[in-house]
Amino acid sequence: MPDPTHIDIDYVARLARISLTPEEKETYAHQLHDVLVYFERLGSVDVEGVEPSAHPVERVNALRADEPGPAFSPEEALANAPARRAQQIVVPKVVEEA
Amino acid sequence: MKFEAVIGLEVHVQLKTRSKVFASVGVGFGEEPNTLTDPVIMGLPGVLPVLNHEAVRQAVRAGLILGSEIPEVCKWDRKQYFYPDSPKNYQLTQYDEPVCVGGAVEIELPGPARNIMGEHRWVRLTRAHLEEDVGKLTHAGDYSLVDYNRAGTPLLEIVTEPDLYSSAEAVAFLNALRMLLTEGGVSDCDMEKGQMRCDANISVRPAGSSTLNSRTEIKNLNSITGVRQAIDYEIRRQTGVYAAGGQVVQETRRWDAEGGLTTSMRGKEEAHDYRYFPDPDLLPVRFPTQEVEALRTALPERVFDRQRRYQETLDLPYTLTSVICYDFGLARYFEEALAVYGENPKALANYIANELQRERGAVEGEGLLPLEDVAMRPADLAELVRLIDTGTLTKHAARTVFVEMFQTGEGAAAVADRLGLKAEPQDSGALEAICRDVIAANPVPAAQFREGNAKAINAYVGPIMKATQGKANPREIHEILARLVAASD
């Protein structure tokens, strides 16, 4: 396991869309490192002959019938929106261009 | 140096269901903004997605139509990214265990002319996976607006192998896919409603070479014209880069329909770190083999299989099958008429491809009158053709009868009676007298007939019909003519 300085904390923060102070970066890099170390312990388990599994519970097919249920009113749907216009949520312009 | 293009497509198709894929709220298009959401769609804390059985069934049905293998188990993954078209920070999709694996789609390349069949070829599929659609963004001055009505609509992403070599082939693929999936009732594939959208991966290489150069991915292709123009533009652009001694950069580009060009979407590279992992809220799906087989048995005939059958066993020309088979509604109409009257497939096909289409187009309003709104039912058309074949209606009179049937929805015999267009059993003495007069007025065809030109007596039919106001039975006319002409020898 590399030491905490090997974690690109700026990259991780950017992916999560959070901004961190230098102190926070230091703190979180260490915490993240500890998490990774903890998960490393999984590597010591003998999984010879065990099929990879997508879910901890051995169940499949939790399905529902295709019947439309209730919808939010627009008022409910937009209740958390910081800004709205024309019954839509207003966000900063997001055109993916140069 | 000559270059050739290599193209792969990723096609997103909205599956037909009544409710969303992981939430029970209904699906719809053109509704007031943000009226088709619920706590799951809005990604509120503590909600639990539950998979719509019909969405999986539709995805499996699509896979079977496309010749895919349906693995015993498929599972759900989170694709993480932040973008306002998704209220939560991930999209539910399938990463490494999709619902459909492999497959192939038969396409028809453009023929040398509209009325000549083009070459057929198979395009291999890599996979198809089920995922949730995202919301719709509308860009205004310095802000964007978000409508989450579309979010959570079941979406099948169909990925092809790089098996396409021109924009025309890409368009042929999309057309074939649309025909197959609409036939199967899996999707309406209406690009104008966003039910079918496409990204294209394009690279160019020296003609004849087998290397794969770096490719660009073109996003935002939501019309057939867009697909054609964007691919053509991108092939020209990349060819130009190589011709000038440069290198094509692997990147995502956006098709700008107004400017008619593709532009780089820089800064997108980092967003490709999607950190997929299995979704802990959703259980894997094991689709029982007998259910797969039941769906397989119920599949409609594939479009080009039907076309071959019509051409080979019903002897219909390509000009008719290309109209009737490429529109599943028309094909069904034809089949239903054929089931009622199977003696004359060509006449049925002709009426559907020509008269029916013309009358549907003549109705006021945009485009063709929807087939389900056409009052004239397939059995009525079958009856009309039967009346022609049995000599009760002349082809000429049938045209008038058809238009009236189309407009009123009445049966063929009823319309023919009401308009007095039925070929009536004439007083055969009177009909024979008319025939004699017509022959006497023009003896040349009679002489030709006796010299062995059997068709010559057809020259008399027109004047006789005119004299009887079109009501004479054509068969009877022919019988009398043949008898009189032969006897007058």
Side-chain angles (χ1 to χ4, degrees), chain B residues 104-170:
Chain B
V105 172
E106 183 177 10
I107 66 170
E108 179 188 3
L109 303 180
R114 248 185 98 90
N115 57 351
I116 302 173
M117 187 161 85
E119 186 198 329
H120 281 227
R121 205 157 69 62
W122 288 85
V123 175
R124 291 167 303 158
L125 302 181
T126 314
R127 59 182 276 170
H129 63 261
L130 183 54
E131 61 187 25
E132 54 180 348
D133 205 345
V134 294
K136 189 167 173 291
L137 294 170
T138 310
H139 305 295
D142 57 349
Y143 59 93
S144 298
L145 295 174
V146 197
D147 171 14
Y148 287 125
N149 281 354
R150 195 178 68 183
T153 303
L155 202 61
L156 191 71
E157 178 172 334
I158 301 160
V159 184
T160 77
E161 293 287 302
D163 271 0
L164 299 158
Y165 302 98
S166 68
S167 62
E169 295 192 11

Side-chain angles (χ1 to χ4, degrees), chain A residues 11 14-15 17 54-55 60-61 63-64 66 68-69 71-72 74 77 85 87-91 93-96 98, chain B residues 18-20 23-24 33-34 37 50-53 75 83 140-141 143-144 146 265 268 270 273 280 284-286:
Chain A
Y11 179 65
R14 209 154 52 237
L15 284 177
R17 296 289 190 279
H55 206 275
V60 293
N61 297 359
L63 300 163
R64 68 175 172 80
D66 183 25
F72 265 161
R85 188 170 299 176
Q87 208 166 292
Q88 300 190 57
I89 298 170
V90 177
V91 296
K93 188 159 185 171
V94 281
V95 182
E96 287 181 285
Chain B
R18 298 170 63 214
S19 61
K20 298 196 176 183
S24 64
N34 293 306
T37 76
V50 185
L51 180 60
N52 181 344
H53 196 170
K75 75 173 220 303
Y83 203 64
Y143 59 93
S144 298
V146 197
M265 289 164 69
K268 181 81 177 164
E270 204 168 77
D273 192 349
V285 174
R286 185 183 296 273

Side-chain angles (χ1 to χ4, degrees), chain B residues 13 119 139 158 208 420 422 428 453 457:
Chain B
V13 172
E119 186 198 329
H139 305 295
I158 301 160
K422 250 187 190 165
S428 56
N453 182 357
I457 57 168

